[in-house]
C-alpha cells in the first residue's frame, strides 16, 4: 500500500530503505531540527501534489497552519534553540491564488522569523503565486522559495521579491 498516511496529528510513513515505520508530528519535526542545529528551521507542513484539487489543497493548507502554531510552540519551549535558530513558516495553497493569499495572511499573523514559499508550482503559475504572496508578506522578514533550482526560476524569484532558494535538482543532476 501507501507509503505515507497524513492525519491531523502528523505523518506516518514507511521507509523506502528497509520498510520500517516512522511517525513525525510538528513537535517531533522541530525537535529533530533543533538537534541537527540548523540556523534556520522550518515549521512542519504538508506539500501537496500539483494535481490535488482545490478542496484538498485547502484542507492541507489549513492543517499546515495548525501544524505551524504547534511548531512555533515547540520551538519556543527550547530556550537554547530559540536563541540560535530562526523558524520559518511555509506558505501553501497549490496553484490557487486565493489560497496562497489566505495562507500568507495566516502565517503573517504568527511569530515567524521568515517565510518559506512552498508547495506545488508549475512554471506557468510560479510568477503569479509569488506576486500574490510577496505583496502580503512583510518586507522586513526573509522570503525563501522552496524547491526552486533552475537559474531562470531563481532570477524570476529574485525579481518577484524572494531572498533565498533551495532545490535537490543540482545535487540530483550532479549524481548522474
Amino acid at each position: 500500500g501507501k507509503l505515507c498516511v497524513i492525519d491531523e496529528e502528523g505523518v506516518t510513513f514507511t521507509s523506502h530503505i528497509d520498510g520500517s515505520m516512522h511517525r513525525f508530528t510538528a513537535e517531533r519535526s522541530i525537535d529533530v531540527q533543533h538537534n541537527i542545529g540548523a540556523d534556520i528551521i522550518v515549521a512542519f507542513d504538508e506539500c501537496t501534489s500539483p494535481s490535488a484539487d482545490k478542496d484538498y489543497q485547502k484542507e492541507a493548507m489549513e492543517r499546515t497552519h495548525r501544524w505551524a502554531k504547534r511548531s512555533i510552540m515547540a520551538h519556543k519551549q527550547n530556550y537554547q534553540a530559540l536563541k540560535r535558530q530562526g523558524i520559518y513558516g511555509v506558505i501553501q495553497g497549490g496553484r490557487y491564488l486565493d489560497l496562497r493569499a489566505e495562507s500568507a495572511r495566516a502565517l503573517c499573523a504568527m511569530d515567524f522569523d521568515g517565510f518559506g514559499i512552498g508547495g506545488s508550482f508549475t512554471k506557468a503559475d510560479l510568477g503569479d503565486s509569488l506576486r500574490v504572496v510577496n505583496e502580503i508578506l512583510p518586507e522586513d522578514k526573509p522570503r525563501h522559495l522552496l524547491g526552486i533550482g533552475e537559474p531562470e526560476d531563481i532570477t524570476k524569484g529574485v525579481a518577484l521579491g524572494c531572498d533565498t532558494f533551495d532545490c535537490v535538482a543540482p545535487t540530483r543532476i550532479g549524481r548522474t
Side-chain angles (χ1 to χ4, degrees), residues 3 12 17 25 38 41 46 70 72-73 80 104 117 126 133 154-155 158 161 167:
L3 292 177
T12 303
I17 297 171
T25 62
I41 63 174
E46 180 180 352
R70 290 171 45 199
I72 289 172
M73 292 304 296
Q80 291 305 313
I117 304 168
L126 179 62
V133 167
I154 294 171
T155 303
V158 169
C167 189

Side-chain angles (χ1 to χ4, degrees), residues 26 34 36 41 52 65 68 70 73 91 94 106 109 111-112 114 126 139 148-149 163 168:
H34 283 162
I36 290 170
I41 63 174
H65 297 166
R70 290 171 45 199
M73 292 304 296
I91 288 136
D111 190 20
F112 284 111
L126 179 62
E139 290 186 21
I148 299 299
D163 302 301
V168 300

Side-chain angles (χ1 to χ4, degrees), residues 133-161:
V133 167
N134 283 330
E135 286 175 2
I136 296 167
L137 293 177
E139 290 186 21
D140 64 336
K141 291 189 177 184
R143 303 161 184 192
H144 180 83
L145 187 52
L146 294 153
I148 299 299
E150 294 184 3
E152 64 272 13
D153 296 330
I154 294 171
T155 303
K156 181 185 265 186
V158 169
L160 292 169

Side-chain angles (χ1 to χ4, degrees), residues 77-97:
Q77 289 176 9
N78 184 327
Y79 182 69
Q80 291 305 313
L82 189 61
K83 291 190 311 187
R84 68 181 199 291
Q85 293 176 297
I87 186 169
Y88 283 20
V90 181
I91 288 136
Q92 294 292 355
R95 64 186 176 273
Y96 302 99
L97 299 180

Side-chain angles (χ1 to χ4, degrees), residues 19-34:
S20 59
M21 297 292 287
H22 300 271
R23 177 78 173 160
F24 270 77
T25 62
E27 295 79 10
R28 175 76 179 122
S29 172
I30 296 302
D31 185 50
V32 168
Q33 293 178 83
H34 283 162

